[in-house]
Amino acid sequence: MVIDCKHVWNHISGYLDDTLSAEVKELVQEHLEHCEICSAILDSTRNILILTADERTFELPLGFSERLHARLSEEIEGIRPAPSKSD
Amino acid sequence: MIERGTTPGEEQLIASILGGNSHEFHALIRPYERTVYVMALTLLKNEADAEDVAQEAFLKAFRNLKNFRAESKFSTWLISITLNEARSRLRRKSAVPMESLDEPSDEQGHVSPALLRDWREIPSESVERLEVRQLLQQAVEDIPLIYRETFILRDIEELSIHETAETLGISVASVKVRLHRARMMLQKRLAPQLKQVNPKRRWLPWS
């Protein structure tokens, strides 16, 4: 069985996550070996995932951590969590 | 990458906090500061709101720590609280058009990728450029909410497909469908844009 480009596009996400069945994975792999467009789509999708997951893409604002822990300290001074039932 | 799940260290910390050492909550949540903030930011699309929601989520986690059940992961529990806080904030912002959490009618529709042959490289150094970071952030923010939530949890925060499903309260099959559509939407939009801003691309004279 041979699958066309549009079928391969439907499986790109599953291929990246390695969640395809062995049969479908093999068909996709065979297609990718000879289809320059689909292998470029796969590579560019993978690269975009790498870039968006890069910690520099979504950076914490300056002073975020300090402000957060200062606010937590205020709360912790005022309220203590109730003891668990076993206490 | 940060450790996921309720580790023995986390369990000890939680027991200690509930036993009265409240100040140890600081240590418990340090590994998750970025996760919670990014989650809030990509939902609310506003840094000030995101910081506010992130703080509220951590405070709520502290106040409700006694209700945390160790059989689930602390990170998943914390992200669920953040998601609820961010969704509540979105609902309260009545001046801003509310994004639907319903399935778009074209849920089963097809998203075609960008048909580029010549953007394969990982321009990792390009993330250092503000322009590229803004392109990436904007593209993620522009995905419809239900796809964005799934993408953030799975691809930015690197939760497993099962953890993503559990956190969002949807099926594993829905996670896969939403994730695929989110990724294809980003590829279609970003691949042409990143190709243009990638200065390292070397063109062979005969290509």
Side-chain angles (χ1 to χ4, degrees), chain B:
Chain B
M1 191 167 72
I2 58 173
E3 181 90 26
R4 295 276 169 207
T6 307
T7 62
E10 283 181 341
E11 284 180 20
Q12 280 181 2
L13 273 177
I14 291 167
S16 178
I17 294 162
L18 292 175
N21 297 315
S22 302
H23 64 278
E24 294 196 75
F25 189 73
H26 292 285
L28 179 66
I29 58 103
R30 273 193 201 281
Y32 303 111
E33 289 175 17
R34 183 177 171 278
T35 298
V36 165
Y37 175 77
V38 170
M39 186 85 206
L41 177 67
T42 39
L43 261 68
L44 296 163
K45 309 180 187 181
N46 174 293
E47 287 191 7
D49 282 346
E51 181 159 348
D52 211 25
V53 160
Q55 288 190 0
E56 287 302 322
F58 283 120
L59 288 171
K60 193 166 269 188
F62 175 69
R63 290 171 192 147
N64 292 289
L65 193 60
K66 62 183 182 298
N67 299 323
F68 170 66
R69 297 285 170 262
E71 59 263 29
S72 67
K73 294 186 169 190
F74 177 71
S75 57
T76 309
W77 182 70
L78 188 58
I79 290 170
S80 296
I81 292 174
T82 309
L83 192 60
N84 287 336
E85 281 295 306
R87 284 175 172 175
S88 299
R89 177 70 60 108
L90 278 175
R91 278 193 292 271
R92 286 201 301 274
K93 291 181 79 165
S94 54
V96 178
M98 179 62 191
E99 279 196 79
S100 176
L101 277 170
D102 297 331
E103 300 280 329
S105 56
D106 65 343
E107 173 78 1
Q108 297 305 320
H110 184 75
V111 182
S112 298
L115 300 176
L116 291 180
R117 290 169 189 271
D118 51 4
W119 190 74
R120 293 168 172 265
E121 299 162 15
I122 304 173
S124 60
E125 76 286 351
S126 64
V127 182
E128 291 160 17
R129 297 170 57 186
L130 180 63
E131 178 196 7
V132 173
R133 288 206 303 273
Q134 286 174 339
L135 278 178
L136 294 167
Q137 287 177 13
Q138 193 62 54
V140 173
E141 286 177 4
D142 286 348
I143 306 174
L145 182 59
I146 67 162
Y147 303 126
R148 192 160 75 240
E149 288 178 342
T150 312
F151 179 78
I152 299 161
L153 294 177
R154 175 78 182 112
D155 282 337
I156 297 184
E157 298 310 324
E158 299 174 319
L159 268 63
S160 70
I161 289 176
H162 283 90
E163 287 167 346
T164 305
E166 183 189 339
T167 306
L168 293 174
I170 60 177
S171 68
V172 165
S174 289
V175 169
K176 288 181 181 175
V177 170
R178 293 180 187 189
L179 195 58
H180 177 70
R181 290 177 66 80
R183 288 168 170 177
M184 288 299 98
M185 287 173 193
L186 288 176
Q187 192 276 352
K188 186 171 191 172
R189 170 158 167 180
L190 283 170
Q193 291 178 325
L194 291 171
K195 177 179 167 255
Q196 285 167 10
V197 298
N198 180 8
K200 295 290 184 186
R201 173 82 194 169
R202 289 196 185 90
W203 295 95
L204 299 173
W206 55 85
S207 65

Side-chain angles (χ1 to χ4, degrees), chain A residues 22-76:
Chain A
E23 186 189 3
V24 174
K25 185 178 170 182
E26 196 180 329
L27 288 170
V28 171
Q29 237 154 9
E30 280 173 16
H31 181 98
L32 288 169
E33 279 166 18
H34 69 260
C35 180
E36 195 185 342
I37 289 178
C38 286
S39 61
I41 290 169
L42 179 76
D43 286 345
S44 59
T45 307
R46 184 190 284 121
N47 290 348
I48 284 163
L49 301 189
I50 291 168
L51 290 176
T52 49
D54 191 308
E55 296 204 345
R56 293 168 297 180
T57 298
F58 290 97
E59 278 182 324
L60 284 172
L62 218 59
F64 171 88
S65 193
E66 290 75 10
R67 291 189 293 276
L68 169 65
H69 287 278
R71 187 155 175 214
L72 282 173
S73 291
E74 284 174 20
E75 177 81 5
I76 288 168

